[in-house]
């Protein structure tokens, strides 16, 4: 493919990935408005959970099906399903209906997240792939910034073109998706090499049984209680599902949903482990840092999206720079090491945060985390693709994405659990400080503070010390409008709890840093998966043709028996032909002249 053709294909793939990436961020800032309109605030978590679970479990299924039926049809199906889910979400009339529609969206999003990188692996050699994958990280970065802005803008507008504003959070996907669909139909034409393969129905079934309960308890465990009956039921079903999945994958061999032979490669195995740990840190950072910016620094959801720019800028700079270096040298060993080191440094920087530190302090840490992520996300994917043959590039890419999402889900669940477990303890420690108590009493005795209606909620809360531990579990907007002296203890307590979260993230990424030294990094191949497949099939066809010629020769036999040309044959006179008589001229001599 020419550079121009590759760019057009990349535009279509980027548009598809933009849909799924944007949908993960645009809904967050608009969910409160949506829940209020549909009268289902207590059900809002299921809207996110349904999307997350279905998109995660469908990722490896798309990878395997694309290996069997081709990338193009599966990518078109993924976009179409996502658009259907977006339309249904925009028309939802209840939170239950919205959760179901989001599940449909997630079914399409699984393909939109896995297939673009798989298709890149088909049409580009691993060394060239690094240059172009920076574009995809740019899409991820842009969507992370404009998602909260767009969600807040749409949800904050009562009516747009006669339709309730928040519904455009989902309906806006339709024009973007149609553009992506048109580009893919027009430009994504890559050859498909048919191979005999079975569909791993048992693998698809058991991965659902394994993943759904564990993802469900990761999302809802804090609400149910980690030792509740519902949580224990999820643990048991999940463990049984994992065992059944491993058995089914062993029995299916090369046709498995995630072939176990992939893990024979030390590079693939280590890249997968690092992907889980990096996903833990990455999603933990993307979820907890905006919350910290909003609560401690008083930023609005829209402003917190803009304040995340250093992280996105670092991610883009590092991904583009590392991609260019990888493309020129074919080597990438330094990037997992340096990337995890920078991420760990960033989280270590965050552990020194205080409620009085300026926003620039957090920006430095975000830049470090972004510089680390930019070197890791594409490098680990390329390493996974480079460690397998062309036949398995689809399942390798989707498996890497799948495990990174699992790590991200676990990271979000664990870090939020740590955060909300630590908040009551941190608040109790702050409010037991004599200086804090004295400051609060002085502020509460100020007539201007008492007269200000903006302080009514926090003053009422302070009159009930027993409820302080749960004061930050719900609506915390009162902190933004209250007197700074009254809000300071709450901000300090939340900061202290967040520092614990940053310590957990630091140690997880530190483990990834140590493991990165043990990752084998063979040089990247210089041919694309399509070219490798074509070469393999050409060689196979040549061997088959030679075998057919040999079999034909064996059936017909040789025209001249080997070895007879060097043996002199003596003829009896009675049967000797004229040509063999002594007086007969040899074929190579002219006849003797007759006597006169």
């Amino acid at each position: 493919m020419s550079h121009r053709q590759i760019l057009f294909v990349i535009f279509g793939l980027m548009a598809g990935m933009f849909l799924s990436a944007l949908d993960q961020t645009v809904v967050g800032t608009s969910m409160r408005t949506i829940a209020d309109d549909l009268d289902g605030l207590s059900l809002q978590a299921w809207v996110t959970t349904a999307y997350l679970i279905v998109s995660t479990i469908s990722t490896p299924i798309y990878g395997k099906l694309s290996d069997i039926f081709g990338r193009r049809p599966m990518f078109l199906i993924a976009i179409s399903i996502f658009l259907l889910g977006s339309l249904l979400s925009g028309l939802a009339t209840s939170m239950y209906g919205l959760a179901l529609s989001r599940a449909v969206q997630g079914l399409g999003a699984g393909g939109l997240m896995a297939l673009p990188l798989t298709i890149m692996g088909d049409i580009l050699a691993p060394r060239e792939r690094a240059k172009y994958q920076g574009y995809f990280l740019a899409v991820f970065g842009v969507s992370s910034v404009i998602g909260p802005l767009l969600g807040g803008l749409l949800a904050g507008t009562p009516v747009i073109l006669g339709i309730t504003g928040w519904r455009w959070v989902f309906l806006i996907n339709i024009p973007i998706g149609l553009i992506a669909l048109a580009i893919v139909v027009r430009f994504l034409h890559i050859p498909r090499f048919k191979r005999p393969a079975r569909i791993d129905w048992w693998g698809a079934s058991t991965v659902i049984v394994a993943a759904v309960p564990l993802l469900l308890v990761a999302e809802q465990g804090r609400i149910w209680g980690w030792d509740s009956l519902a949580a224990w039921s999820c643990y048991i079903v999940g463990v049984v599902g994992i065992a059944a999945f491993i058995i089914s994958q062993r029995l299916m061999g090369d046709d498995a949903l995630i072939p176990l032979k992939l893990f024979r490669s030390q590079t693939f195995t280590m890249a997968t482990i690092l992907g889980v740990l990096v996903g833990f840190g990455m999603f933990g950072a993307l979820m907890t840092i905006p919350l910290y910016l909003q609560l401690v620094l008083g930023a609005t959801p829209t402003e917190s999206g803009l304040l995340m720019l250093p992280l996105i800028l670092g991610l883009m700079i590092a991904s583009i720079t590392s991609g260019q270096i990888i493309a020129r040298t074919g080597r990438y060993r330094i990037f997992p090491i340096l990337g995890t080191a920078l991420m760990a440094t960033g989280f270590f920087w965050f552990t020194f945060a205080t409620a009085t530190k300026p926003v620039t302090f957090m920006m430095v840490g975000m830049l470090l985390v972004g510089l680390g992520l930019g070197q890791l996300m594409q490098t680990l994917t390329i390493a996974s693709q480079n460690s397998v043959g062309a036949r398995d590039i689809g399942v390798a890419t989707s498996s890497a994405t799948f495990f990174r999402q699992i790590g991200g889900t676990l990271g979000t669940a664990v870090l939020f659990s740590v955060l909300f477990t630590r908040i009551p303890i941190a608040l109790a420690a702050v409010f037991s400080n004599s200086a804090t108590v004295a400051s609060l009493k002085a502020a509460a005795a100020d007539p201007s503070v008492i007269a200000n209606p903006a302080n009514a909620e926090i003053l009422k809360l302070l009159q009930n010390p027993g409820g302080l531990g749960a004061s930050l579990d719900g609506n915390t907007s009162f902190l933004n409008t209250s007197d700074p002296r009254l809000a300071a203890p709450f901000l300090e307590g939340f900061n202290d709890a967040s520092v614990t979260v940053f310590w957990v993230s630091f140690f997880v990424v530190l483990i990834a840093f140590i493991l990165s030294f043990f990752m084998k990094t063979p040089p990247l191949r210089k041919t694309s998966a399509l070219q490798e497949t074509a070469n393999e099939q050409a060689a196979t066809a040549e061997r088959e043709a030679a075998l057919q010629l040999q079999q034909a020769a064996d059936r017909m036999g040789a025209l001249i028996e080997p070895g007879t040309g060097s043996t002199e044959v003596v003829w009896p006179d009675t049967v000797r032909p004229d040509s063999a008589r002594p007086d007969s001229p040899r074929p190579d001599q002219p006849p003797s002249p007759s006597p006169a």
Side-chain angles (χ1 to χ4, degrees):
M1 298 178 69
S2 67
H3 179 69
R4 180 175 179 273
Q5 289 173 317
I6 290 173
L7 285 180
F8 273 113
V9 171
I10 287 176
F11 291 152
L13 300 179
M14 287 171 61
M17 181 172 277
F18 181 74
L19 286 172
S20 61
L22 181 67
D23 211 65
Q24 294 181 24
T25 56
V26 72
V27 176
T29 53
S30 57
M31 185 51 65
R32 184 64 181 269
T33 304
I34 296 172
D36 289 342
D37 190 48
L38 297 181
D39 193 22
L41 186 62
S42 61
L43 301 173
Q44 62 174 314
W46 289 104
V47 175
T48 305
T49 302
Y51 179 89
L52 175 70
I53 290 177
V54 177
S55 63
T56 301
I57 62 177
S58 63
T59 298
I61 297 175
Y62 272 106
K64 186 62 181 179
L65 292 179
S66 70
D67 280 342
I68 299 175
F69 300 109
R71 316 287 189 224
R72 185 173 185 267
M74 296 309 302
F75 194 51
L76 293 174
I77 289 172
I79 295 176
S80 301
I81 294 176
F82 188 87
L83 292 181
L84 175 62
S86 298
L87 179 61
L88 294 175
S89 298
L91 300 176
T93 56
S94 68
M95 289 297 283
Y96 290 108
L98 182 60
L100 183 61
S101 301
R102 289 278 287 166
V104 176
Q105 260 192 317
L107 184 60
L112 297 182
M113 288 185 283
L115 292 180
L117 296 179
T118 303
I119 294 171
M120 290 284 289
D122 284 332
I123 65 178
L124 293 171
R127 286 182 62 163
E128 292 296 315
R129 204 176 302 155
K131 291 191 300 185
Y132 292 96
Q133 285 190 356
Y135 297 143
F136 290 93
L137 293 182
V139 168
F140 179 82
V142 170
S143 65
S144 299
V145 173
I146 71 171
L149 298 175
L150 190 61
L153 177 64
L154 295 175
T157 305
V159 177
I160 301 174
L161 299 178
I163 301 175
T164 306
W166 67 261
R167 296 185 183 274
W168 285 101
V169 169
F170 307 104
L171 297 179
I172 197 173
N173 292 327
I174 295 178
I176 300 174
L178 290 176
I179 293 173
L181 206 60
I183 295 176
V184 171
V185 170
R186 173 67 179 82
F187 294 103
L188 185 59
H189 298 285
I190 55 179
R192 181 168 71 89
F193 300 96
K194 294 183 179 180
R195 303 185 184 94
R198 297 175 294 167
I199 298 178
D200 186 9
W201 297 110
W202 283 107
S205 302
T206 52
V207 76
I208 293 173
V209 176
V212 169
L214 298 180
L215 292 172
L216 192 60
V217 74
E219 287 292 304
Q220 302 293 327
R222 186 173 58 86
I223 300 172
W224 296 344
W226 296 108
D227 56 351
S228 64
L229 178 61
W232 273 107
S233 300
C234 288
Y235 300 147
I236 295 171
V237 174
V239 170
V240 172
I242 291 174
F245 178 73
I246 293 174
I247 293 172
S248 69
Q249 299 308 279
R250 182 177 294 277
L251 294 176
M252 286 297 293
D254 289 347
D255 295 323
L257 190 68
I258 303 178
L260 298 183
K261 70 175 184 179
L262 298 180
F263 295 96
R264 297 174 190 166
S265 167
Q266 195 268 2
T267 301
F268 181 86
T269 303
M270 191 58 67
T272 300
I273 295 173
L274 291 178
V276 172
L277 298 176
V278 170
F280 187 105
M282 177 181 71
F283 281 88
L286 292 176
M287 295 298 291
T288 56
I289 293 176
L291 187 61
Y292 183 93
L293 295 174
Q294 293 176 40
L295 205 149
V296 177
L297 300 180
T300 65
T302 302
E303 291 170 345
S304 67
L306 289 174
L307 291 175
M308 293 287 287
L309 276 174
L311 189 147
I312 305 306
L313 185 63
L315 188 148
M316 293 174 64
I317 292 173
S319 63
I320 293 173
T321 303
S322 62
Q324 293 293 329
I325 295 174
I326 292 173
R328 293 178 182 178
T329 65
R331 300 187 179 277
Y332 54 96
R333 175 174 174 75
I334 187 62
F335 296 113
I337 297 173
L338 187 58
T340 51
L342 285 170
M343 277 192 72
T345 304
F347 282 118
F348 185 68
W349 177 273
F350 286 143
T351 61
F352 294 96
T354 63
T356 57
K357 288 278 178 66
V359 69
T360 52
F361 176 86
M362 295 299 295
M363 286 182 170
V364 172
M366 285 188 278
L367 180 63
L368 291 171
V369 172
L371 289 172
L373 277 175
Q375 297 179 67
L376 288 166
M377 291 177 65
Q378 67 170 339
T379 305
L380 295 178
T381 300
I382 291 173
S384 299
Q385 293 174 335
N386 191 62
S387 66
V388 302
R391 173 188 175 93
D392 297 316
I393 196 168
V395 294
T397 307
S398 61
S399 298
T401 306
F402 172 73
F403 286 111
R404 186 167 61 242
Q405 287 178 273
I406 293 292
T409 303
L410 292 175
T412 303
V414 170
L415 293 180
F416 269 119
S417 296
V418 170
L419 177 65
F420 286 98
T421 301
R422 278 284 300 154
I423 284 176
I425 301 173
L427 287 175
V430 171
F431 280 98
S432 63
N433 185 285
S434 57
T436 300
V437 173
S439 176
L440 283 174
K441 288 182 177 180
D446 189 338
S448 62
V449 172
I450 299 174
N452 189 348
N455 298 320
E457 186 173 352
I458 195 170
L459 287 173
K460 181 180 178 181
L461 187 64
L462 290 172
Q463 293 172 1
N464 180 23
L468 291 177
S471 60
L472 301 181
D473 288 354
N475 187 356
T476 58
S477 59
F478 67 90
L479 295 175
N480 298 332
T481 57
S482 302
D483 186 276
R485 291 172 294 176
L486 298 177
F490 294 92
L491 302 185
E492 186 178 346
F494 188 86
N495 175 87
D496 294 345
S498 298
V499 167
T500 305
V501 169
F502 296 141
W503 274 114
V504 174
S505 300
F506 166 72
F507 284 116
V508 169
V509 179
L510 185 63
I511 294 173
F513 171 69
I514 296 171
L515 292 177
S516 65
F517 286 93
F518 299 96
M519 182 176 174
K520 294 181 179 178
T521 55
L524 298 177
R525 299 190 298 269
K526 297 182 179 180
T527 55
S528 66
L530 284 176
Q531 186 62 52
E532 289 181 6
T533 304
N535 293 342
E536 290 175 3
Q537 296 205 353
T540 302
E542 185 176 346
R543 288 194 299 268
E544 290 178 353
L547 180 61
Q548 291 174 358
L549 288 173
Q550 182 62 47
Q551 290 174 344
D554 292 342
R555 286 195 301 269
M556 295 181 64
L559 298 178
I560 300 177
E561 193 67 24
T564 59
S566 61
T567 303
E568 182 179 359
V569 179
V570 179
W571 295 91
D573 291 340
T574 55
V575 297
R576 181 181 297 177
D578 294 341
S579 60
R581 295 183 184 276
D583 56 349
S584 299
R586 293 197 305 272
D588 58 341
Q589 290 182 345
S592 302
S594 57

